[in-house]
Amino acid sequence: MAGFKPLVFSGVQPTGNLHLGNYLGAITKFVALQQSHDCIYCVVDMHAITVWQDPVALTAQIREVTAAFLAAGVDPKRHIVFNQSQVHEHAELAWVFNCVARIGWLNRMTQFKEKAGKDRENASLGLYAYPSLMAADILVYRATHVPVGEDQKQHLELARDIAQKFNNDYAASIAAAGHGEGFFPLPEPLIQGPATRVMSLRDGSKKMSKSDPSDYSRINLSDDADAVAQKVRKAKTDPEPLPSEETGLEKRPEAQNLVGIFAALAERSRADVLAEFGGAQFSSFKASLVDLAVAKLGPIGAEMKRLTADPAYIDSVLADGAERASAIARPNMDAVKDIVGFIRRR
């Protein structure tokens, strides 16, 4: 992406109970990315309130997500970790983007339809305009890359469309201000190999979810070692031994899920795991999975517990990150105001 410094932006909503799916699907990738990229990791609390949040719970959840980042190995000194609402340029740019994006574009966003459900008329305007804010989150830093899951690919495409339309609509003003052919990059999705799709421990056909009424359906990142071990032991299985090849996992969702979890935690392929455990009964496989899960997740849960007991420290990390994020966002937003034709304080 010529002319733009490579920069990764990613955000996580603080909506309670981070679990193994969040860890394997996003947080481990954040940790890996920081070895090769400059990264900005944001707790997107403004996105969270597109549906009503209890204020006391929201505060705790912002700190819990931050604690999970730190406990998993994200380095807040080398990279930027902050919560979105501390950097007002996100909201300012989102309004500009609301005026650039077209209603027809937002009408095509499938995630709004899924989240609003049948009661669409009663959904918040924020939920509808969520993708404009997501575009602003990325582009206020002129970030070039975004790690995305399947559910966010459409929103990233919209961010690219908004950036392109802004660059086109204001081309003369952008050039006159010395920014060349385009002020915003067209951010690229960052693909980091096949995603780990973690399913419920009670039903291998459903995704692991914080909203499942059974706590035994998921491993929470805040679980201690005993809870992790107990949940793995009680995970649903079938009566057949494990197959020796991946094709043998077809139509066996619980077996496929547990093998996938083992492979992701061990950083091995499923084929490699089955080569070791093929023909074994679930009892012996689960014993090995318990040892692995406790070794990997136990320290994270313990560190999260330690960090969340010290909210002043977490708040200091977020404040430091917000100050460093603002140092990037503020001049970019000032430039946008000049390009659009606003008069600003100098």
Side-chain angles (χ1 to χ4, degrees):
M1 200 164 296
F4 295 98
K5 179 188 172 189
L7 180 65
V8 171
F9 178 91
S10 193
V12 172
Q13 280 207 43
T15 48
N17 271 18
L18 288 171
H19 53 68
L20 182 63
N22 305 124
Y23 175 70
L24 293 175
I27 297 174
T28 56
K29 291 179 170 54
F30 292 175
V31 175
L33 273 173
Q34 66 181 355
Q35 306 305 321
S36 55
H37 295 75
D38 289 329
C39 302
I40 297 175
Y41 296 133
C42 183
V43 184
V44 289
D45 48 3
M46 291 164 64
H47 284 294
I49 65 165
T50 55
V51 294
W52 193 85
Q53 303 289 330
D54 176 84
V56 174
L58 180 60
T59 300
Q61 288 159 9
I62 293 167
R63 290 176 178 143
E64 184 186 77
V65 171
T66 308
F69 285 171
L70 304 183
V74 170
D75 184 343
K77 295 295 184 189
R78 284 180 56 200
H79 304 277
I80 295 175
V81 176
F82 74 108
N83 59 305
Q84 180 187 27
S85 61
Q86 291 204 51
V87 180
H88 58 76
E89 287 82 6
H90 287 249
E92 290 185 68
L93 187 58
W95 179 255
V96 174
F97 285 173
N98 281 344
C99 300
V100 172
R102 306 290 92 181
I103 290 284
W105 298 357
L106 290 168
N107 283 342
R108 289 195 291 273
M109 296 295 108
T110 56
Q111 203 171 52
F112 171 75
K113 296 170 188 173
E114 290 164 7
K115 287 190 174 183
K118 293 178 181 176
D119 196 15
R120 199 172 300 174
E121 295 296 315
N122 203 33
S124 75
L125 180 58
L127 187 63
Y128 182 76
Y130 172 112
S132 279
L133 178 57
M134 180 176 161
D137 296 336
I138 299 162
L139 292 168
V140 77
Y141 302 102
R142 300 212 282 178
T144 57
H145 293 85
V146 182
V148 288
E150 286 296 323
D151 61 338
Q152 293 294 344
K153 279 186 178 176
Q154 192 182 36
H155 288 170
L156 184 59
E157 284 298 320
L158 182 73
R160 290 169 57 87
D161 291 343
I162 290 172
Q164 185 67 69
K165 190 171 189 303
F166 182 93
N167 289 342
N168 292 344
D169 289 354
Y170 293 101
S173 184
I174 288 167
H179 297 297
E181 294 183 3
F183 182 73
F184 289 119
L186 306 187
E188 299 280 352
L190 202 58
I191 309 300
Q192 296 171 272
T196 302
R197 188 173 171 84
V198 181
M199 312 305 281
S200 165
L201 298 180
R202 307 304 289 165
D203 181 349
S205 66
K206 295 179 181 176
K207 275 185 77 172
M208 187 174 285
S209 169
K210 63 180 179 250
S211 59
D212 193 304
S214 171
D215 196 49
Y216 280 90
S217 69
R218 61 186 168 270
I219 295 173
N220 303 306
L221 288 190
S222 55
D223 285 343
D224 61 22
D226 288 343
V228 170
Q230 190 175 32
K231 288 177 178 182
V232 172
R233 290 191 192 104
K234 287 183 176 288
K236 185 180 177 184
T237 56
D238 59 47
E240 300 298 319
L242 282 169
S244 298
E245 297 181 354
E246 287 187 78
T247 51
L249 293 173
E250 292 171 12
K251 299 183 180 177
R252 296 180 64 186
E254 284 78 24
Q256 190 167 45
N257 188 37
L258 293 182
V259 169
I261 289 170
F262 192 109
L265 287 173
E267 299 179 29
R268 293 164 61 184
S269 68
R270 292 182 188 219
D272 189 34
V273 173
L274 291 175
E276 179 181 348
F277 291 100
Q281 295 298 320
F282 270 106
S283 55
S284 62
F285 175 70
K286 276 187 175 181
S288 295
L289 181 54
V290 164
D291 291 342
L292 175 62
V294 167
K296 286 275 188 173
L297 302 175
I300 293 172
E303 181 65 359
M304 281 183 66
K305 189 174 181 180
R306 186 189 73 79
L307 288 167
T308 51
D310 188 359
Y313 171 71
I314 291 179
D315 293 357
S316 73
V317 168
L318 292 171
D320 175 70
E323 190 173 328
R324 290 157 59 210
S326 294
I328 303 170
R330 192 175 301 117
N332 287 341
M333 192 63 222
D334 284 348
V336 168
K337 289 176 181 179
D338 294 343
I339 288 164
V340 169
F342 293 160
I343 296 172
R344 61 182 175 86
R345 285 179 294 178
R346 295 178 185 272

